[in-house]
Amino acid sequence: MITTLVLWSHALAALLFGALASTRLRRPSGHWPHIAFVIALVTTSLWALAVAGIDSRDVATRIVASVRDIAWLGFMLALVRRDRAGNYALGAVYFVVMALAGTAALLAIVEQMGLDADALAAIESARTVLRMMGAVSGLVLVHHLYQAAPATRGGIRLVLLALAGMWSADLVVSGAVYFDARWAPMMIVANGAVMMGVATLLVVGVHRSGDWTLALSRPIAVRALSAVALILYAGITALATHIAGGYAGSHARAVQAAIVFGATATMLALLSTPWLRAWTKVKIAKHLFRHRYDYRAEWQRFTDTLGKPGGGAETLDTRVVQSIADLTDSPGGLLLVPDGASLGLGAAWNWIGAAEGLRHDALATYLARDARIVELDPVRAGTAPAEECASVPAWLRECSEAWAIVPLMHGGALVGAIVLARPPIDRALDWEDFDLLRVAGRQAASYLAEDRAHAALADAARFDEFNRRFAFILHDIKNLVSQLTLVARNAERHADNPDFRVDMVATLRDSSDRMNALLARLSQHGPVRGEPLQPLDVMAIVERVAIARQIQHPIVTQGGSASALGHAARLEQVLGQLIQNAVEASSADDPIFLSVEAAGDRVAIDVIDHGCGMAPGFVRDQLFRPFVSSKPAGFGIGAFEARQLVHAMGGSLEVVSREGEGTRFRILLPAVATASLRVAA
């Protein structure tokens, strides 16, 4: 009875596959999918005839079954190659699965070589395992092709569903043979019925759509590779444990456990290795794709990192560094931001040992003019252009982890530069890297420029409010001065008591003088304009300010006489502001150090304390912004005004601060002359 059912079911399936193949032959086409489809139909018809007319266990039938699987895999590979976008990612996977089917056919031939019973059983078991692995791999590939098939191409999906049914039936039959051979005959009968249904689905599918086009993506390719690798791992492990069970004797269970444990530990160790993951990604991109990057996925990740919302998210500067570094799998990066005509240290992401306080004038000039991405390895080797080598600062050349410098250009202006750390898999940058980094750098630069424009607008709005309030204050004070002056004049004429009159006049005049002085100070608030710079004895001014402040806090001065260009009153005002900040940040017993020294063509005045210090983010983003203060009662204009006054004198103000260690403000003014240093307390 079972033999009859096997005969009729597979004979009818062979008839259906043969008829479909003949109809497709009448419609010739030069496309590979069509040719591969016809070949697969013919081999499937031959396999069904072999099962019906010979036996499913015959060597010829088993060989034809492997050929049938290879033919259908070839058809699916032809669909992948049909994609004119250049997606060849799954080719290697298909060849691996084809190799599984071919190995199963070779084992079927080996079984006919008159081996002993134990070897024959082992080979038969291995062949069955390979058949199951091939069926599961085929299902994985069908699943991913189904995802890639357009929804409007229903015919393709029907064909893929038919192939899924074919390999599902093969998996069930192979599983029945492997685990309990008693169920194998019934499964073979069911397989014949399934194959008739497969043929029916193929007939409907080919008549619904003849244009078999797919749109494969990198995630599909990576998932297919991962799934097939997992299948191979599981199949090899199962085969190894099966062989060990046949040859290890009484120790079989322990050996099998050791094999499973060792294979699992090895797989977990490999998966947890960052270097291996990076190496795998590079090899997949290099050998399976026409382009290194999946631009759609990279751009989505790039914009997602830049626009990450939430209060706990990193600052924009840090996100800019991370988004650029993620493109090349760099583990860290450093942002250099414009500081006048130079580049200074900005945000850092996973970067250790950044050089603080360094200025990069030549690098800023070079990047702003050429907007070139600088690859640092050729610079270190001396093979880069001479101007490029000269522009890279020494600390970057000496830092072996620094890999490339990406300029951030917006509207023709340099808004920053990113130093990328070397990726886990070291390689030279190619044209794809340069193109992608250049476009991403422009996008990131637009984010930074927009953020700075918003900050400038906010500052302008604060200044407008500040000026509006001062205008009201000035108006009120003027009215008050006018009233007090009038009272003083009336008192002089009408007071009867001479002593009272004298006291009242003196008091009113004193109040009037104070109000007028306040008006004068308020009217002159801001940098001096139009007043020429004068030579200053810097040490004398520093000592004068220190003596006036020593009653409030211990202050130590050191240095020698030095002459600089500036304004004495403004320099005293800057020093007073910086000393006040240092006093508020220090404990009562920690002295403040004032130092004067020559620094090339400039005179350096340092205000140093060992107080609480400031966070790098506060120094970078908020210290010199007006109306931003870390003190509860502070106005937030002291450091901003100090820098403005120093700039008005043709100098610059630098700051280096570390939390828990202290702060150093350095005033740099144009030098007139220098003298030998002396130390004074």
mmCIF file with all atom_site columns, all heavy atoms in Angstrom, residues 58-77:
data_model
loop_
_atom_site.group_PDB
_atom_site.id
_atom_site.type_symbol
_atom_site.label_atom_id
_atom_site.label_alt_id
_atom_site.label_comp_id
_atom_site.label_asym_id
_atom_site.label_entity_id
_atom_site.label_seq_id
_atom_site.pdbx_PDB_ins_code
_atom_site.Cartn_x
_atom_site.Cartn_y
_atom_site.Cartn_z
_atom_site.occupancy
_atom_site.B_iso_or_equiv
_atom_site.pdbx_formal_charge
_atom_site.auth_seq_id
_atom_site.auth_comp_id
_atom_site.auth_asym_id
_atom_site.auth_atom_id
_atom_site.pdbx_PDB_model_num
ATOM 1   N N   . ASP A 1 58 ? 17.830 4.554  -3.102  1.00 0.00 ? 58 ASP A N   1
ATOM 2   C CA  . ASP A 1 58 ? 18.814 4.195  -4.108  1.00 0.00 ? 58 ASP A CA  1
ATOM 3   C C   . ASP A 1 58 ? 19.822 5.327  -4.271  1.00 0.00 ? 58 ASP A C   1
ATOM 4   O O   . ASP A 1 58 ? 19.497 6.517  -4.130  1.00 0.00 ? 58 ASP A O   1
ATOM 5   C CB  . ASP A 1 58 ? 18.110 3.917  -5.436  1.00 0.00 ? 58 ASP A CB  1
ATOM 6   C CG  . ASP A 1 58 ? 19.070 3.348  -6.468  1.00 0.00 ? 58 ASP A CG  1
ATOM 7   O OD1 . ASP A 1 58 ? 19.343 2.135  -6.413  1.00 0.00 ? 58 ASP A OD1 1
ATOM 8   O OD2 . ASP A 1 58 ? 19.560 4.145  -7.298  1.00 0.00 ? 58 ASP A OD2 1
ATOM 9   N N   . VAL A 1 59 ? 21.067 4.957  -4.592  1.00 0.00 ? 59 VAL A N   1
ATOM 10  C CA  . VAL A 1 59 ? 22.123 5.954  -4.709  1.00 0.00 ? 59 VAL A CA  1
ATOM 11  C C   . VAL A 1 59 ? 21.820 6.948  -5.821  1.00 0.00 ? 59 VAL A C   1
ATOM 12  O O   . VAL A 1 59 ? 22.091 8.157  -5.694  1.00 0.00 ? 59 VAL A O   1
ATOM 13  C CB  . VAL A 1 59 ? 23.489 5.261  -4.926  1.00 0.00 ? 59 VAL A CB  1
ATOM 14  C CG1 . VAL A 1 59 ? 23.499 4.444  -6.213  1.00 0.00 ? 59 VAL A CG1 1
ATOM 15  C CG2 . VAL A 1 59 ? 24.605 6.290  -4.954  1.00 0.00 ? 59 VAL A CG2 1
ATOM 16  N N   . ALA A 1 60 ? 21.261 6.478  -6.934  1.00 0.00 ? 60 ALA A N   1
ATOM 17  C CA  . ALA A 1 60 ? 20.933 7.391  -8.034  1.00 0.00 ? 60 ALA A CA  1
ATOM 18  C C   . ALA A 1 60 ? 19.899 8.418  -7.594  1.00 0.00 ? 60 ALA A C   1
ATOM 19  O O   . ALA A 1 60 ? 19.998 9.613  -7.921  1.00 0.00 ? 60 ALA A O   1
ATOM 20  C CB  . ALA A 1 60 ? 20.427 6.595  -9.237  1.00 0.00 ? 60 ALA A CB  1
ATOM 21  N N   . THR A 1 61 ? 18.898 7.971  -6.825  1.00 0.00 ? 61 THR A N   1
ATOM 22  C CA  . THR A 1 61 ? 17.866 8.900  -6.340  1.00 0.00 ? 61 THR A CA  1
ATOM 23  C C   . THR A 1 61 ? 18.473 9.942  -5.416  1.00 0.00 ? 61 THR A C   1
ATOM 24  O O   . THR A 1 61 ? 18.128 11.135 -5.470  1.00 0.00 ? 61 THR A O   1
ATOM 25  C CB  . THR A 1 61 ? 16.764 8.121  -5.618  1.00 0.00 ? 61 THR A CB  1
ATOM 26  O OG1 . THR A 1 61 ? 16.261 7.105  -6.488  1.00 0.00 ? 61 THR A OG1 1
ATOM 27  C CG2 . THR A 1 61 ? 15.638 9.041  -5.205  1.00 0.00 ? 61 THR A CG2 1
ATOM 28  N N   . ARG A 1 62 ? 19.371 9.506  -4.546  1.00 0.00 ? 62 ARG A N   1
ATOM 29  C CA  . ARG A 1 62 ? 19.992 10.443 -3.605  1.00 0.00 ? 62 ARG A CA  1
ATOM 30  C C   . ARG A 1 62 ? 20.874 11.457 -4.332  1.00 0.00 ? 62 ARG A C   1
ATOM 31  O O   . ARG A 1 62 ? 20.921 12.640 -3.960  1.00 0.00 ? 62 ARG A O   1
ATOM 32  C CB  . ARG A 1 62 ? 20.801 9.666  -2.582  1.00 0.00 ? 62 ARG A CB  1
ATOM 33  C CG  . ARG A 1 62 ? 19.913 8.872  -1.627  1.00 0.00 ? 62 ARG A CG  1
ATOM 34  C CD  . ARG A 1 62 ? 20.707 7.946  -0.728  1.00 0.00 ? 62 ARG A CD  1
ATOM 35  N NE  . ARG A 1 62 ? 19.828 7.282  0.239   1.00 0.00 ? 62 ARG A NE  1
ATOM 36  C CZ  . ARG A 1 62 ? 20.206 6.316  1.079   1.00 0.00 ? 62 ARG A CZ  1
ATOM 37  N NH1 . ARG A 1 62 ? 21.483 5.887  1.055   1.00 0.00 ? 62 ARG A NH1 1
ATOM 38  N NH2 . ARG A 1 62 ? 19.351 5.780  1.919   1.00 0.00 ? 62 ARG A NH2 1
ATOM 39  N N   . ILE A 1 63 ? 21.571 10.994 -5.377  1.00 0.00 ? 63 ILE A N   1
ATOM 40  C CA  . ILE A 1 63 ? 22.393 11.934 -6.145  1.00 0.00 ? 63 ILE A CA  1
ATOM 41  C C   . ILE A 1 63 ? 21.508 12.951 -6.857  1.00 0.00 ? 63 ILE A C   1
ATOM 42  O O   . ILE A 1 63 ? 21.785 14.160 -6.855  1.00 0.00 ? 63 ILE A O   1
ATOM 43  C CB  . ILE A 1 63 ? 23.274 11.159 -7.146  1.00 0.00 ? 63 ILE A CB  1
ATOM 44  C CG1 . ILE A 1 63 ? 24.319 10.329 -6.389  1.00 0.00 ? 63 ILE A CG1 1
ATOM 45  C CG2 . ILE A 1 63 ? 23.955 12.125 -8.107  1.00 0.00 ? 63 ILE A CG2 1
ATOM 46  C CD1 . ILE A 1 63 ? 25.128 9.422  -7.288  1.00 0.00 ? 63 ILE A CD1 1
ATOM 47  N N   . VAL A 1 64 ? 20.426 12.476 -7.463  1.00 0.00 ? 64 VAL A N   1
ATOM 48  C CA  . VAL A 1 64 ? 19.518 13.395 -8.154  1.00 0.00 ? 64 VAL A CA  1
ATOM 49  C C   . VAL A 1 64 ? 18.877 14.373 -7.173  1.00 0.00 ? 64 VAL A C   1
ATOM 50  O O   . VAL A 1 64 ? 18.632 15.538 -7.506  1.00 0.00 ? 64 VAL A O   1
ATOM 51  C CB  . VAL A 1 64 ? 18.441 12.600 -8.929  1.00 0.00 ? 64 VAL A CB  1
ATOM 52  C CG1 . VAL A 1 64 ? 17.421 13.545 -9.562  1.00 0.00 ? 64 VAL A CG1 1
ATOM 53  C CG2 . VAL A 1 64 ? 19.083 11.742 -10.002 1.00 0.00 ? 64 VAL A CG2 1
ATOM 54  N N   . ALA A 1 65 ? 18.593 13.924 -5.940  1.00 0.00 ? 65 ALA A N   1
ATOM 55  C CA  . ALA A 1 65 ? 18.037 14.828 -4.925  1.00 0.00 ? 65 ALA A CA  1
ATOM 56  C C   . ALA A 1 65 ? 19.005 15.971 -4.632  1.00 0.00 ? 65 ALA A C   1
ATOM 57  O O   . ALA A 1 65 ? 18.605 17.140 -4.498  1.00 0.00 ? 65 ALA A O   1
ATOM 58  C CB  . ALA A 1 65 ? 17.717 14.047 -3.659  1.00 0.00 ? 65 ALA A CB  1
ATOM 59  N N   . SER A 1 66 ? 20.304 15.653 -4.528  1.00 0.00 ? 66 SER A N   1
ATOM 60  C CA  . SER A 1 66 ? 21.295 16.710 -4.306  1.00 0.00 ? 66 SER A CA  1
ATOM 61  C C   . SER A 1 66 ? 21.386 17.644 -5.501  1.00 0.00 ? 66 SER A C   1
ATOM 62  O O   . SER A 1 66 ? 21.493 18.871 -5.351  1.00 0.00 ? 66 SER A O   1
ATOM 63  C CB  . SER A 1 66 ? 22.665 16.083 -4.014  1.00 0.00 ? 66 SER A CB  1
ATOM 64  O OG  . SER A 1 66 ? 22.643 15.338 -2.807  1.00 0.00 ? 66 SER A OG  1
ATOM 65  N N   . VAL A 1 67 ? 21.341 17.056 -6.700  1.00 0.00 ? 67 VAL A N   1
ATOM 66  C CA  . VAL A 1 67 ? 21.370 17.896 -7.900  1.00 0.00 ? 67 VAL A CA  1
ATOM 67  C C   . VAL A 1 67 ? 20.150 18.807 -7.950  1.00 0.00 ? 67 VAL A C   1
ATOM 68  O O   . VAL A 1 67 ? 20.234 19.981 -8.341  1.00 0.00 ? 67 VAL A O   1
ATOM 69  C CB  . VAL A 1 67 ? 21.450 17.007 -9.159  1.00 0.00 ? 67 VAL A CB  1
ATOM 70  C CG1 . VAL A 1 67 ? 21.336 17.848 -10.426 1.00 0.00 ? 67 VAL A CG1 1
ATOM 71  C CG2 . VAL A 1 67 ? 22.753 16.214 -9.168  1.00 0.00 ? 67 VAL A CG2 1
ATOM 72  N N   . ARG A 1 68 ? 18.992 18.263 -7.554  1.00 0.00 ? 68 ARG A N   1
ATOM 73  C CA  . ARG A 1 68 ? 17.769 19.086 -7.508  1.00 0.00 ? 68 ARG A CA  1
ATOM 74  C C   . ARG A 1 68 ? 17.955 20.275 -6.570  1.00 0.00 ? 68 ARG A C   1
ATOM 75  O O   . ARG A 1 68 ? 17.609 21.424 -6.909  1.00 0.00 ? 68 ARG A O   1
ATOM 76  C CB  . ARG A 1 68 ? 16.603 18.218 -7.029  1.00 0.00 ? 68 ARG A CB  1
ATOM 77  C CG  . ARG A 1 68 ? 15.282 18.950 -6.930  1.00 0.00 ? 68 ARG A CG  1
ATOM 78  C CD  . ARG A 1 68 ? 14.372 18.320 -5.891  1.00 0.00 ? 68 ARG A CD  1
ATOM 79  N NE  . ARG A 1 68 ? 14.909 18.482 -4.533  1.00 0.00 ? 68 ARG A NE  1
ATOM 80  C CZ  . ARG A 1 68 ? 14.306 18.039 -3.433  1.00 0.00 ? 68 ARG A CZ  1
ATOM 81  N NH1 . ARG A 1 68 ? 13.177 17.362 -3.534  1.00 0.00 ? 68 ARG A NH1 1
ATOM 82  N NH2 . ARG A 1 68 ? 14.844 18.231 -2.249  1.00 0.00 ? 68 ARG A NH2 1
ATOM 83  N N   . ASP A 1 69 ? 18.491 20.029 -5.378  1.00 0.00 ? 69 ASP A N   1
ATOM 84  C CA  . ASP A 1 69 ? 18.708 21.136 -4.432  1.00 0.00 ? 69 ASP A CA  1
ATOM 85  C C   . ASP A 1 69 ? 19.672 22.163 -5.003  1.00 0.00 ? 69 ASP A C   1
ATOM 86  O O   . ASP A 1 69 ? 19.462 23.383 -4.874  1.00 0.00 ? 69 ASP A O   1
ATOM 87  C CB  . ASP A 1 69 ? 19.243 20.588 -3.111  1.00 0.00 ? 69 ASP A CB  1
ATOM 88  C CG  . ASP A 1 69 ? 18.196 19.791 -2.345  1.00 0.00 ? 69 ASP A CG  1
ATOM 89  O OD1 . ASP A 1 69 ? 17.003 19.918 -2.690  1.00 0.00 ? 69 ASP A OD1 1
ATOM 90  O OD2 . ASP A 1 69 ? 18.567 19.052 -1.409  1.00 0.00 ? 69 ASP A OD2 1
ATOM 91  N N   . ILE A 1 70 ? 20.752 21.687 -5.621  1.00 0.00 ? 70 ILE A N   1
ATOM 92  C CA  . ILE A 1 70 ? 21.727 22.615 -6.212  1.00 0.00 ? 70 ILE A CA  1
ATOM 93  C C   . ILE A 1 70 ? 21.070 23.436 -7.318  1.00 0.00 ? 70 ILE A C   1
ATOM 94  O O   . ILE A 1 70 ? 21.326 24.644 -7.463  1.00 0.00 ? 70 ILE A O   1
ATOM 95  C CB  . ILE A 1 70 ? 22.945 21.833 -6.734  1.00 0.00 ? 70 ILE A CB  1
ATOM 96  C CG1 . ILE A 1 70 ? 23.708 21.203 -5.562  1.00 0.00 ? 70 ILE A CG1 1
ATOM 97  C CG2 . ILE A 1 70 ? 23.861 22.731 -7.546  1.00 0.00 ? 70 ILE A CG2 1
ATOM 98  C CD1 . ILE A 1 70 ? 24.837 20.281 -5.983  1.00 0.00 ? 70 ILE A CD1 1
ATOM 99  N N   . ALA A 1 71 ? 20.190 22.811 -8.108  1.00 0.00 ? 71 ALA A N   1
ATOM 100 C CA  . ALA A 1 71 ? 19.518 23.532 -9.190  1.00 0.00 ? 71 ALA A CA  1
ATOM 101 C C   . ALA A 1 71 ? 18.611 24.633 -8.647  1.00 0.00 ? 71 ALA A C   1
ATOM 102 O O   . ALA A 1 71 ? 18.600 25.760 -9.164  1.00 0.00 ? 71 ALA A O   1
ATOM 103 C CB  . ALA A 1 71 ? 18.712 22.553 -10.042 1.00 0.00 ? 71 ALA A CB  1
ATOM 104 N N   . TRP A 1 72 ? 17.846 24.324 -7.597  1.00 0.00 ? 72 TRP A N   1
ATOM 105 C CA  . TRP A 1 72 ? 16.982 25.354 -7.017  1.00 0.00 ? 72 TRP A CA  1
ATOM 106 C C   . TRP A 1 72 ? 17.806 26.458 -6.353  1.00 0.00 ? 72 TRP A C   1
ATOM 107 O O   . TRP A 1 72 ? 17.440 27.637 -6.422  1.00 0.00 ? 72 TRP A O   1
ATOM 108 C CB  . TRP A 1 72 ? 16.011 24.738 -6.012  1.00 0.00 ? 72 TRP A CB  1
ATOM 109 C CG  . TRP A 1 72 ? 14.860 24.041 -6.666  1.00 0.00 ? 72 TRP A CG  1
ATOM 110 C CD1 . TRP A 1 72 ? 14.573 22.698 -6.629  1.00 0.00 ? 72 TRP A CD1 1
ATOM 111 C CD2 . TRP A 1 72 ? 13.848 24.644 -7.459  1.00 0.00 ? 72 TRP A CD2 1
ATOM 112 N NE1 . TRP A 1 72 ? 13.444 22.426 -7.356  1.00 0.00 ? 72 TRP A NE1 1
ATOM 113 C CE2 . TRP A 1 72 ? 12.967 23.613 -7.879  1.00 0.00 ? 72 TRP A CE2 1
ATOM 114 C CE3 . TRP A 1 72 ? 13.587 25.933 -7.874  1.00 0.00 ? 72 TRP A CE3 1
ATOM 115 C CZ2 . TRP A 1 72 ? 11.865 23.856 -8.678  1.00 0.00 ? 72 TRP A CZ2 1
ATOM 116 C CZ3 . TRP A 1 72 ? 12.479 26.179 -8.680  1.00 0.00 ? 72 TRP A CZ3 1
ATOM 117 C CH2 . TRP A 1 72 ? 11.636 25.153 -9.073  1.00 0.00 ? 72 TRP A CH2 1
ATOM 118 N N   . LEU A 1 73 ? 18.901 26.110 -5.705  1.00 0.00 ? 73 LEU A N   1
ATOM 119 C CA  . LEU A 1 73 ? 19.779 27.142 -5.145  1.00 0.00 ? 73 LEU A CA  1
ATOM 120 C C   . LEU A 1 73 ? 20.375 28.000 -6.254  1.00 0.00 ? 73 LEU A C   1
ATOM 121 O O   . LEU A 1 73 ? 20.541 29.223 -6.097  1.00 0.00 ? 73 LEU A O   1
ATOM 122 C CB  . LEU A 1 73 ? 20.896 26.488 -4.326  1.00 0.00 ? 73 LEU A CB  1
ATOM 123 C CG  . LEU A 1 73 ? 20.468 25.845 -3.005  1.00 0.00 ? 73 LEU A CG  1
ATOM 124 C CD1 . LEU A 1 73 ? 21.602 25.013 -2.424  1.00 0.00 ? 73 LEU A CD1 1
ATOM 125 C CD2 . LEU A 1 73 ? 20.027 26.903 -1.999  1.00 0.00 ? 73 LEU A CD2 1
ATOM 126 N N   . GLY A 1 74 ? 20.697 27.367 -7.399  1.00 0.00 ? 74 GLY A N   1
ATOM 127 C CA  . GLY A 1 74 ? 21.177 28.145 -8.533  1.00 0.00 ? 74 GLY A CA  1
ATOM 128 C C   . GLY A 1 74 ? 20.130 29.105 -9.057  1.00 0.00 ? 74 GLY A C   1
ATOM 129 O O   . GLY A 1 74 ? 20.442 30.235 -9.450  1.00 0.00 ? 74 GLY A O   1
ATOM 130 N N   . PHE A 1 75 ? 18.868 28.675 -9.074  1.00 0.00 ? 75 PHE A N   1
ATOM 131 C CA  . PHE A 1 75 ? 17.787 29.572 -9.486  1.00 0.00 ? 75 PHE A CA  1
ATOM 132 C C   . PHE A 1 75 ? 17.681 30.769 -8.538  1.00 0.00 ? 75 PHE A C   1
ATOM 133 O O   . PHE A 1 75 ? 17.553 31.921 -8.983  1.00 0.00 ? 75 PHE A O   1
ATOM 134 C CB  . PHE A 1 75 ? 16.473 28.793 -9.516  1.00 0.00 ? 75 PHE A CB  1
ATOM 135 C CG  . PHE A 1 75 ? 15.251 29.660 -9.545  1.00 0.00 ? 75 PHE A CG  1
ATOM 136 C CD1 . PHE A 1 75 ? 14.957 30.436 -10.648 1.00 0.00 ? 75 PHE A CD1 1
ATOM 137 C CD2 . PHE A 1 75 ? 14.386 29.704 -8.448  1.00 0.00 ? 75 PHE A CD2 1
ATOM 138 C CE1 . PHE A 1 75 ? 13.832 31.253 -10.674 1.00 0.00 ? 75 PHE A CE1 1
ATOM 139 C CE2 . PHE A 1 75 ? 13.274 30.504 -8.466  1.00 0.00 ? 75 PHE A CE2 1
ATOM 140 C CZ  . PHE A 1 75 ? 12.988 31.284 -9.577  1.00 0.00 ? 75 PHE A CZ  1
ATOM 141 N N   . MET A 1 76 ? 17.745 30.510 -7.232  1.00 0.00 ? 76 MET A N   1
ATOM 142 C CA  . MET A 1 76 ? 17.670 31.605 -6.260  1.00 0.00 ? 76 MET A CA  1
ATOM 143 C C   . MET A 1 76 ? 18.869 32.533 -6.385  1.00 0.00 ? 76 MET A C   1
ATOM 144 O O   . MET A 1 76 ? 18.748 33.760 -6.262  1.00 0.00 ? 76 MET A O   1
ATOM 145 C CB  . MET A 1 76 ? 17.570 31.027 -4.846  1.00 0.00 ? 76 MET A CB  1
ATOM 146 C CG  . MET A 1 76 ? 16.262 30.253 -4.604  1.00 0.00 ? 76 MET A CG  1
ATOM 147 S SD  . MET A 1 76 ? 16.294 29.259 -3.100  1.00 0.00 ? 76 MET A SD  1
ATOM 148 C CE  . MET A 1 76 ? 16.519 30.506 -1.864  1.00 0.00 ? 76 MET A CE  1
ATOM 149 N N   . LEU A 1 77 ? 20.048 31.943 -6.644  1.00 0.00 ? 77 LEU A N   1
ATOM 150 C CA  . LEU A 1 77 ? 21.235 32.776 -6.840  1.00 0.00 ? 77 LEU A CA  1
ATOM 151 C C   . LEU A 1 77 ? 21.095 33.632 -8.097  1.00 0.00 ? 77 LEU A C   1
ATOM 152 O O   . LEU A 1 77 ? 21.534 34.788 -8.127  1.00 0.00 ? 77 LEU A O   1
ATOM 153 C CB  . LEU A 1 77 ? 22.471 31.883 -6.934  1.00 0.00 ? 77 LEU A CB  1
ATOM 154 C CG  . LEU A 1 77 ? 23.813 32.602 -7.147  1.00 0.00 ? 77 LEU A CG  1
ATOM 155 C CD1 . LEU A 1 77 ? 24.086 33.583 -6.012  1.00 0.00 ? 77 LEU A CD1 1
ATOM 156 C CD2 . LEU A 1 77 ? 24.938 31.596 -7.272  1.00 0.00 ? 77 LEU A CD2 1
#
